[in-house]
Amino acid sequence: MNFVSDNVTGAAPRVLEALAALGESADAAYGTDAESNAAARRIADLFEAPEAVVFLVATGTAANALALAALTPPWGAVLCHEEAHVNDDECGAPEFFTHGAKLAGIPGAAGKIDPASFRHALTRFPKAVKSVQPAVLSLSQVTEAGTLYTLAEIAALSAAAKDAGLKVHLDGARFANALVALGCTPADMSWKAGADVVTLGLTKVGGLACEAIVVFDPVLAETLPYRRKRGGHTLSKGRLLGAQANALLADGYWLDLARHANATARRLADGLAALPGVRLAWPAEANEVFPILPAAMDARLRAAGFAFLPWATGSLMPGDTIGADERLVRMVTSWATRPDTVERLLSVAAQA
Amino acid sequence: MNFVSDNVTGAAPRVLEALAALGESADAAYGTDAESNAAARRIADLFEAPEAVVFLVATGTAANALALAALTPPWGAVLCHEEAHVNDDECGAPEFFTHGAKLAGIPGAAGKIDPASFRHALTRFPKAVKSVQPAVLSLSQVTEAGTLYTLAEIAALSAAAKDAGLKVHLDGARFANALVALGCTPADMSWKAGADVVTLGLTKVGGLACEAIVVFDPVLAETLPYRRKRGGHTLSKGRLLGAQANALLADGYWLDLARHANATARRLADGLAALPGVRLAWPAEANEVFPILPAAMDARLRAAGFAFLPWATGSLMPGDTIGADERLVRMVTSWATRPDTVERLLSVAAQA
Amino acid sequence: MNFVSDNVTGAAPRVLEALAALGESADAAYGTDAESNAAARRIADLFEAPEAVVFLVATGTAANALALAALTPPWGAVLCHEEAHVNDDECGAPEFFTHGAKLAGIPGAAGKIDPASFRHALTRFPKAVKSVQPAVLSLSQVTEAGTLYTLAEIAALSAAAKDAGLKVHLDGARFANALVALGCTPADMSWKAGADVVTLGLTKVGGLACEAIVVFDPVLAETLPYRRKRGGHTLSKGRLLGAQANALLADGYWLDLARHANATARRLADGLAALPGVRLAWPAEANEVFPILPAAMDARLRAAGFAFLPWATGSLMPGDTIGADERLVRMVTSWATRPDTVERLLSVAAQA
Amino acid sequence: MNFVSDNVTGAAPRVLEALAALGESADAAYGTDAESNAAARRIADLFEAPEAVVFLVATGTAANALALAALTPPWGAVLCHEEAHVNDDECGAPEFFTHGAKLAGIPGAAGKIDPASFRHALTRFPKAVKSVQPAVLSLSQVTEAGTLYTLAEIAALSAAAKDAGLKVHLDGARFANALVALGCTPADMSWKAGADVVTLGLTKVGGLACEAIVVFDPVLAETLPYRRKRGGHTLSKGRLLGAQANALLADGYWLDLARHANATARRLADGLAALPGVRLAWPAEANEVFPILPAAMDARLRAAGFAFLPWATGSLMPGDTIGADERLVRMVTSWATRPDTVERLLSVAAQA
């Protein structure tokens, strides 16, 4: 009944089993244990990037903020969509970890930046000491609007960023959902498309608290051991993180979990869109659905016990507006969303 | 065979069971879930401090750094023992979270600050704008030398700190070990003795990754929700932390675990001290033993597979020095240390 | 011939005389000298604010950044016009001094924020820990477009800010120019209209390097002695700053200088606007003129040795655009601008 | 009558003349004006370092803090004498500008670090992520005790620092006083002895507010334009700084001023040391005298109107202590100290 986010559930069964199986045996502390080392190797393999340096941390906020801090000086600018999670939902963590870099929000429909608006944004920052200097382009895949960049779109934006001397960060809080939706490989969606650093989300897809910072060029990773420790993100019993990552990534388990979430979202999106008076603000391309509901339907669903968030945005499709008796809401599915719950929601929604 | 630290083991059985029992049911995100709320209430009760505000985080570094950031402005000084963990072992995390406050190390034998040296240290900081201003006294209980402050000693130092307008922070990474050694209550060892904020360690005693910041005066806690979020330490699935805390604190489980660790350390200390050529650098008052071994014994133990750290210190008892053929080492026991491993170590040590 | 800025000239005669008169006599260091004390009292009197606390510093960047740091926590947001100097032209100094607060730019024609867009901007920041919290409204008077807020407009914006719990900062880099243009008192344009802190610019108006931070509520000033020292902005020989301020503020000298600059700008604006093909992007309300020139006129003026800046903006009047053969430029006058230079410029501009 | 510091006087005549001569002519802003450019070239020439990059700022605190920020990451340690100005007298400015690096104070008699204690201090910081990493050795020449390192001593310490991978910073607040005392060249006392960056003090020697950061390797200077701007230390009318530097450095004027200050201090030191009951805590090697006076003499001098500071230190010569009826004080001379004032002081001191 809870469609508030994909972080409201516990962890997927194999993750809990892996944690339960952590015995009392001694291992190295501070992220150098066998589980963490194995997870790092596994992730590098998964990305077909043997040189990649991987840092496990417990939260997406930490992963994003540390990744950005590795890529920008304090007088740099991080260009991102104006509604990006790093800009709006992390209480300034990127500013904290970067020691005050500026996040420059770029508008764009459906949560996406297009190359023209990115290039225009760059003109705000002349090559003069009075101006902060653009240092990073941060893309969210899945976007805040539940949409996806195509691989070609990522590549085009990355190329424009590289031309301007910027590094590219990919906020992959829902990386797995994007991956199965696009049917591509992790390498395709990251370094092959120009990303320098990826925040690989493993919490929403089925972990309890596990994210990985994946840095493809080891030179860019050099400061991160210190930044992570200094940020209090180097767990003494690192196996907690390693075990989650290994459980999720083994045998494509994380992709199975993501496929379930995406399929459930698809059913939810299709079912809602078929109802009179309902339309989708944006195409539901991963595991998030943003329907615009008649106010009465919104109220009816809430009265029936369904939980989901009202949503505010400046990123509607061109020409679209939310009417006074309409409600834009966000519904998120996860590995744990049951199909019958979705059907129940659709059935309540359909009651006129 | 591993006496390197009490963070080299996994988690105690009931902790793993509690994690395994975390199902998929939905709950509120970002530390407002039922497990986290219950843990906060439980900790406040445990400290007989109904007004206390509790923040769970995954690492001791984060807990200490956030606690200090709540107590000092960037131009403040944190006075602590010169070998305190916050000063020597956190890569400057307190400086990072406090935005550059100064940690001022105070020397003292056996890891302890005495009130006279504390008062002397205060004189380094005149009430003038050119000087950072003393803001916090941070005490470690258990100390870095494995010793304990008596309750009267904590109270005397706290009183001196309060007289000078400072707040008092207690780094309780091994709080439970101190508690069972002193046979007092959490309240006795914290606010009743003058502490304003406690870092309550639950990882070393048997958790996987769980520490609590306990703030007795809610006014001092006001900035911490923002600081924690901004530091990336607000877990989306907070139940991970709450479940560990609840499992450990229920029915005095954490104290049982600490008693085992302390008793094992006591046996180890007594056994070693009885051997010819061995003496203890400091009394083993909790779960850490700092023997000074003949170099040959040190080598024999390592050859037999025992792991422990060589130790460097400026905090020896007055008059003591380490001879050229002696080795000061640290051996730490935990809930997982087996008595027969200790006996084996003693037996190898005794082979001349 | 140089209309690039009002900071390209040296200092006004009385300022230089005052500096030359600084003898070798001893006085207190670090801003507690007689000149600095007199300047602080003079400024408080000028603002009819006997309680005001005044800090002299050498640059406007420092004055603004320190003022903002006194008003926002690191997790706060500073709302300002999107082209405000604090946002675009100080290389992130506000972020540095505030330890990472977020500057949120608000669009608005002619460099001005209107209350509706301000209130809308506030909705971006929910009262939730995930969001930075709005803490300051920063207004520039004169604006970056050379325009002025009326006293009623400042009061309305300040009231809206206060309603939302924000403090109000006035960036008065060209405070004197605004003052003589509006014909009001410093009190009218600051605390009577709701400003909590003013950056009082004395460099552009005729000083060499002198700005004052004027804090009306002493409580808000409490951290500034430490922040100023820590920022390296407490001059040991503070008389350098005090002497400039006293020379400028005595006998209304600064207002005379500002009147000259404004009058020169008025003549320049009127003369240009009367020429065919020229229009003003915004009304020239103080000492800055933003004409939109035919490209050929722009080139002719430059060829004749006149210097001024090309200007980029997103703040044109509704409906206005710059044509392909037009150039938006900025021309700034100062106390040192000679009327005959203006006439010469107009004459070259008029040659078709 | 004022021996409190060499920053209590105004500026030397030629400096004031140079300021008075700054007319109203236009020049480039933000430190790129003719005076600043000439000063930078002059300083590079003076140091026989054509590649050196020079940054003028208004305060020694800024110069030191910026210099250190160019040399250490936030997780670095700056090793300095425990009573160094950067450690004790700048309200944590180095911590602010470095984003939280740790200043590690090293004890040593007479304000000086010896290579053995420096090497010992390095052992506190293992090459492990838990520890901040030593990045800079900061030496004060003249020291806080008014003493001087010989060139060989600077070279030995620098060599030890380089061996350990550290950069070397020289805090030359009284660089000229040291220079004339040692009779060497700026190059001898800086890069030829191993210094990477020098804070060249021009305020105490006779300026009003002018210090230069001199960076010998341009690569180390790359971040400083941004750091200076962001710190609010890039003056719009940079000529204020340039004019002071040029006036002082032309024709050896600064050295003449320093010679006067040193000679006056020498007479003061010799005169006091010849009195019964007086001894010097440390040799008076530049323009500071630290006599240990009988309490009655201290009182008599103060009653007669002489001003000087009581002094606290942990850096007395081995075996020395201050008796209960003795007073350690600091007396500083400057370019403006009149010989007859010194004689008067000595005469009052001699009255028994």
Side-chain angles (χ1 to χ4, degrees):
Chain A
M1 308 284 284
N2 191 321
F3 293 86
V4 166
S5 182
D6 34 6
N7 63 24
V8 299
T9 56
R14 289 198 210 162
V15 171
L16 296 182
E17 285 160 22
L19 292 180
L22 288 176
E24 66 184 59
S25 66
D27 202 341
Y30 298 116
T32 59
D33 58 281
E35 286 275 9
S36 296
N37 290 341
R41 276 194 309 274
R42 191 189 292 270
I43 290 169
D45 288 350
L46 193 70
F47 278 86
E48 303 166 52
E51 302 291 308
V53 188
V54 176
F55 300 87
L56 300 176
V57 294
T59 70
T61 300
N64 280 334
L66 285 164
L68 295 175
L71 298 178
T72 179
W75 49 89
V78 175
L79 281 71
C80 58
H81 191 275
E82 64 182 359
E83 296 183 358
H85 199 266
V86 291
N87 198 27
D88 269 7
D89 298 297
E90 299 183 341
C91 197
E95 285 91 340
F96 177 48
F97 279 82
T98 63
H99 298 293
K102 190 183 283 284
L103 273 75
I106 305 175
K112 293 168 70 173
I113 297 170
D114 72 30
S117 52
F118 170 63
R119 275 189 296 262
H120 178 72
L122 287 174
T123 66
R124 273 188 56 196
F125 305 100
K127 291 234 171 290
V129 169
K130 69 169 192 169
S131 175
V132 293
Q133 296 299 303
V136 189
L137 169 65
S138 178
L139 299 174
S140 301
Q141 176 84 322
V142 183
T143 75
E144 293 301 309
T147 56
L148 292 172
Y149 290 99
T150 64
L151 297 186
E153 286 171 336
I154 297 176
L157 281 163
S158 293
K162 298 292 169 77
D163 282 352
L166 282 69
K167 300 294 181 190
V168 178
H169 166 246
L170 198 71
D171 177 358
R174 296 184 177 96
F175 193 88
N177 303 93
L179 213 56
V180 299
L182 292 180
C184 66
T185 68
D188 288 338
M189 204 165 77
S190 59
W191 61 269
K192 288 186 178 174
D196 295 291
V197 178
V198 169
T199 297
L200 174 64
L202 295 174
T203 305
K204 289 185 164 89
V205 77
L208 262 179
C210 186
E211 309 278 314
I213 307 166
V214 187
V215 187
F216 298 112
D217 176 354
V219 170
L220 295 178
E222 283 172 2
T223 67
L224 280 172
Y226 299 102
R227 293 187 194 274
R228 182 173 65 165
K229 178 66 182 175
R230 194 168 170 81
H233 286 289
T234 304
L235 266 57
S236 61
K237 299 181 179 177
R239 65 187 81 183
L240 168 63
L241 301 176
Q244 292 179 74
N246 289 318
L248 285 164
L249 298 174
D251 307 319
Y253 185 49
W254 68 318
L255 301 181
D256 295 339
L257 296 170
R259 272 188 209 99
H260 174 88
N262 285 13
T264 326
R266 166 95 350 258
R267 169 62 190 138
L268 180 61
D270 291 347
L272 285 169
L275 296 176
V278 177
R279 69 187 187 283
L280 300 183
W282 307 297
E285 298 180 333
N287 66 321
E288 297 174 283
V289 184
F290 291 87
I292 300 170
L293 307 175
M297 187 187 292
D298 174 76
R300 191 163 62 244
L301 287 168
R302 294 181 186 284
F306 293 98
F308 44 86
L309 292 181
W311 204 250
T313 185
S315 182
L316 289 177
M317 300 308 287
D320 198 1
T321 55
I322 312 293
D325 56 352
E326 292 182 323
R327 299 289 178 270
L328 169 61
V329 303
R330 185 184 78 163
M331 297 173 172
V332 190
T333 60
S334 78
W335 62 275
T337 304
R338 304 195 182 183
D340 62 338
T341 308
V342 172
E343 298 307 325
R344 201 137 28 104
L345 187 152
L346 292 174
S347 147
V348 173
Q351 295 158 11
Chain B
M1 309 284 281
N2 191 321
F3 294 86
V4 166
S5 182
D6 33 7
N7 63 22
V8 298
T9 56
R14 289 198 209 163
V15 171
L16 296 183
E17 285 160 24
L19 292 180
L22 288 176
E24 65 184 59
S25 65
D27 202 342
Y30 298 116
T32 58
D33 58 281
E35 285 276 8
S36 296
N37 289 342
R41 277 195 308 274
R42 191 188 291 271
I43 290 169
D45 288 351
L46 193 71
F47 277 87
E48 304 165 51
E51 302 291 309
V53 187
V54 176
F55 299 87
L56 299 177
V57 294
T59 70
T61 298
N64 280 334
L66 285 164
L68 294 175
L71 298 178
T72 180
W75 49 88
V78 175
L79 282 72
C80 58
H81 190 275
E82 63 181 0
E83 296 183 356
H85 199 265
V86 291
N87 198 27
D88 270 7
D89 299 297
E90 300 183 341
C91 197
E95 286 90 341
F96 177 48
F97 280 83
T98 63
H99 298 293
K102 191 183 281 286
L103 272 75
I106 305 175
K112 292 168 69 173
I113 297 170
D114 73 30
S117 51
F118 170 62
R119 274 188 297 262
H120 178 72
L122 288 174
T123 65
R124 273 187 56 196
F125 305 100
K127 292 233 170 289
V129 169
K130 69 169 191 168
S131 175
V132 294
Q133 296 298 304
V136 189
L137 170 64
S138 178
L139 299 174
S140 301
Q141 177 81 323
V142 183
T143 75
E144 293 301 308
T147 57
L148 293 172
Y149 290 99
T150 64
L151 296 186
E153 286 171 336
I154 296 175
L157 281 164
S158 294
K162 299 292 169 77
D163 282 352
L166 282 71
K167 301 293 180 190
V168 178
H169 166 246
L170 198 70
D171 177 357
R174 297 185 176 94
F175 194 87
N177 303 93
L179 213 56
V180 300
L182 292 179
C184 66
T185 68
D188 288 339
M189 205 165 77
S190 58
W191 61 269
K192 288 187 178 173
D196 295 290
V197 178
V198 169
T199 297
L200 174 64
L202 295 174
T203 306
K204 289 185 164 89
V205 77
L208 263 179
C210 186
E211 309 278 314
I213 307 165
V214 188
V215 186
F216 298 111
D217 176 353
V219 171
L220 295 178
E222 283 172 2
T223 67
L224 279 172
Y226 299 102
R227 293 186 193 275
R228 182 173 63 164
K229 177 68 181 174
R230 195 167 168 81
H233 286 289
T234 304
L235 266 58
S236 60
K237 300 182 180 177
R239 67 187 80 182
L240 168 64
L241 302 176
Q244 291 179 74
N246 289 319
L248 284 165
L249 299 174
D251 307 319
Y253 186 49
W254 68 318
L255 302 181
D256 295 341
L257 296 170
R259 271 187 210 100
H260 175 88
N262 285 12
T264 326
R266 166 93 352 256
R267 170 60 189 140
L268 180 61
D270 291 347
L272 285 169
L275 296 176
V278 177
R279 67 189 187 284
L280 300 183
W282 307 296
E285 297 179 335
N287 66 321
E288 296 174 285
V289 184
F290 291 87
I292 300 169
L293 307 176
M297 187 187 292
D298 174 77
R300 192 163 63 243
L301 287 168
R302 294 181 187 282
F306 293 98
F308 44 86
L309 292 181
W311 204 250
T313 185
S315 182
L316 289 177
M317 301 308 288
D320 198 1
T321 55
I322 312 293
D325 56 352
E326 292 183 323
R327 300 288 179 271
L328 170 61
V329 303
R330 186 183 79 162
M331 296 173 171
V332 191
T333 60
S334 77
W335 63 274
T337 304
R338 302 194 182 183
D340 62 338
T341 309
V342 171
E343 297 309 322
R344 200 134 32 101
L345 185 152
L346 291 173
S347 147
V348 172
Q351 295 159 12
Chain C
M1 309 284 282
N2 190 322
F3 294 86
V4 166
S5 181
D6 33 7
N7 63 24
V8 299
T9 56
R14 289 198 210 164
V15 171
L16 296 182
E17 287 160 23
L19 292 180
L22 288 176
E24 65 184 59
S25 67
D27 202 341
Y30 298 116
T32 58
D33 59 282
E35 285 275 9
S36 296
N37 289 341
R41 277 195 308 275
R42 191 188 291 271
I43 290 170
D45 288 350
L46 192 71
F47 278 87
E48 304 165 52
E51 303 290 310
V53 187
V54 176
F55 300 87
L56 298 177
V57 294
T59 70
T61 299
N64 281 333
L66 284 164
L68 294 175
L71 298 178
T72 179
W75 48 90
V78 176
L79 282 71
C80 58
H81 190 275
E82 63 182 0
E83 296 183 358
H85 200 264
V86 291
N87 197 28
D88 269 8
D89 299 298
E90 300 182 342
C91 196
E95 286 89 341
F96 177 47
F97 280 84
T98 63
H99 298 292
K102 191 183 283 284
L103 273 75
I106 305 175
K112 293 168 69 174
I113 297 170
D114 72 31
S117 51
F118 170 62
R119 274 189 296 263
H120 178 72
L122 288 174
T123 64
R124 273 187 57 195
F125 305 100
K127 291 234 172 289
V129 169
K130 69 169 191 168
S131 175
V132 294
Q133 297 298 304
V136 188
L137 169 65
S138 179
L139 299 173
S140 301
Q141 176 82 323
V142 184
T143 74
E144 294 301 309
T147 57
L148 293 172
Y149 291 99
T150 65
L151 297 185
E153 286 172 335
I154 296 176
L157 281 163
S158 294
K162 299 291 169 77
D163 282 352
L166 282 72
K167 301 294 181 190
V168 177
H169 166 247
L170 198 71
D171 177 358
R174 296 184 177 94
F175 192 87
N177 303 93
L179 213 55
V180 299
L182 292 180
C184 65
T185 69
D188 288 339
M189 204 165 77
S190 58
W191 61 269
K192 288 186 177 173
D196 295 290
V197 177
V198 170
T199 296
L200 174 65
L202 295 173
T203 305
K204 290 185 164 90
V205 78
L208 262 178
C210 186
E211 310 277 315
I213 307 166
V214 187
V215 187
F216 298 112
D217 176 354
V219 170
L220 296 178
E222 283 172 2
T223 67
L224 280 173
Y226 299 103
R227 292 186 194 274
R228 182 173 64 164
K229 178 67 182 175
R230 193 169 170 81
H233 287 289
T234 304
L235 266 58
S236 60
K237 299 181 180 178
R239 66 186 80 183
L240 168 63
L241 301 176
Q244 293 179 75
N246 288 318
L248 285 164
L249 298 175
D251 307 319
Y253 185 49
W254 68 318
L255 301 181
D256 295 339
L257 295 169
R259 272 188 209 100
H260 175 88
N262 285 12
T264 327
R266 167 96 348 259
R267 169 62 189 138
L268 180 61
D270 291 346
L272 285 169
L275 296 176
V278 176
R279 66 188 190 284
L280 300 182
W282 308 296
E285 298 180 334
N287 66 320
E288 296 174 283
V289 184
F290 290 87
I292 300 170
L293 307 176
M297 187 186 294
D298 174 77
R300 191 163 64 244
L301 288 168
R302 294 180 186 283
F306 293 98
F308 44 85
L309 292 181
W311 205 250
T313 185
S315 182
L316 289 176
M317 300 308 287
D320 198 0
T321 54
I322 312 293
D325 56 353
E326 292 183 323
R327 299 289 179 269
L328 169 62
V329 303
R330 185 183 78 162
M331 296 173 173
V332 191
T333 61
S334 78
W335 63 275
T337 304
R338 301 192 185 186
D340 62 338
T341 309
V342 171
E343 297 309 322
R344 201 136 30 102
L345 186 151
L346 292 174
S347 148
V348 172
Q351 295 159 9
Chain D
M1 309 284 282
N2 190 321
F3 294 86
V4 166
S5 182
D6 33 6
N7 62 24
V8 298
T9 55
R14 289 197 208 164
V15 171
L16 296 182
E17 286 160 23
L19 293 179
L22 288 176
E24 65 185 58
S25 66
D27 202 342
Y30 299 116
T32 59
D33 58 282
E35 285 275 9
S36 296
N37 289 341
R41 277 194 309 273
R42 191 188 290 271
I43 291 170
D45 287 350
L46 193 70
F47 277 86
E48 303 166 52
E51 303 290 310
V53 188
V54 176
F55 299 87
L56 299 177
V57 294
T59 71
T61 299
N64 280 333
L66 285 165
L68 294 175
L71 297 178
T72 180
W75 49 89
V78 175
L79 281 71
C80 58
H81 191 275
E82 64 182 358
E83 297 182 357
H85 199 265
V86 291
N87 198 27
D88 269 8
D89 299 297
E90 299 183 341
C91 197
E95 286 90 340
F96 177 48
F97 280 83
T98 63
H99 298 293
K102 190 183 283 284
L103 273 75
I106 305 175
K112 292 168 69 174
I113 298 170
D114 73 31
S117 51
F118 170 62
R119 275 188 296 262
H120 178 73
L122 288 174
T123 65
R124 273 187 56 195
F125 305 100
K127 292 232 172 290
V129 169
K130 68 169 192 167
S131 176
V132 294
Q133 296 298 303
V136 189
L137 169 65
S138 178
L139 299 173
S140 301
Q141 176 82 323
V142 181
T143 75
E144 293 302 308
T147 56
L148 293 172
Y149 290 99
T150 65
L151 297 185
E153 286 171 336
I154 296 175
L157 281 163
S158 293
K162 299 293 169 78
D163 281 352
L166 282 70
K167 301 293 181 190
V168 177
H169 166 247
L170 198 70
D171 176 358
R174 296 184 177 94
F175 193 87
N177 303 93
L179 214 56
V180 299
L182 292 180
C184 66
T185 68
D188 288 339
M189 205 165 77
S190 58
W191 61 270
K192 288 186 178 173
D196 295 290
V197 178
V198 169
T199 297
L200 173 64
L202 294 173
T203 305
K204 289 185 165 88
V205 78
L208 263 179
C210 186
E211 310 278 315
I213 308 166
V214 187
V215 187
F216 298 111
D217 176 353
V219 170
L220 295 178
E222 284 172 2
T223 68
L224 280 173
Y226 299 102
R227 293 186 192 275
R228 183 173 64 164
K229 177 69 181 173
R230 195 168 168 80
H233 286 290
T234 304
L235 266 58
S236 60
K237 300 182 180 177
R239 67 187 80 183
L240 168 63
L241 302 176
Q244 293 179 73
N246 289 319
L248 285 164
L249 299 173
D251 307 319
Y253 185 49
W254 69 317
L255 301 181
D256 295 340
L257 296 170
R259 271 187 209 101
H260 175 88
N262 285 12
T264 327
R266 166 98 345 260
R267 169 62 189 137
L268 180 60
D270 291 346
L272 285 169
L275 296 176
V278 177
R279 66 188 189 284
L280 299 182
W282 306 296
E285 297 179 335
N287 67 321
E288 297 173 284
V289 183
F290 290 87
I292 300 170
L293 307 175
M297 187 187 292
D298 173 78
R300 191 163 63 245
L301 287 168
R302 294 181 185 283
F306 293 98
F308 44 85
L309 292 180
W311 205 251
T313 185
S315 181
L316 289 176
M317 302 306 288
D320 197 0
T321 55
I322 313 292
D325 56 352
E326 292 183 321
R327 300 289 178 271
L328 170 61
V329 303
R330 185 183 78 161
M331 296 172 172
V332 190
T333 61
S334 77
W335 63 276
T337 304
R338 303 193 181 183
D340 62 337
T341 309
V342 172
E343 297 308 323
R344 200 135 31 101
L345 186 152
L346 291 174
S347 147
V348 173
Q351 294 158 12

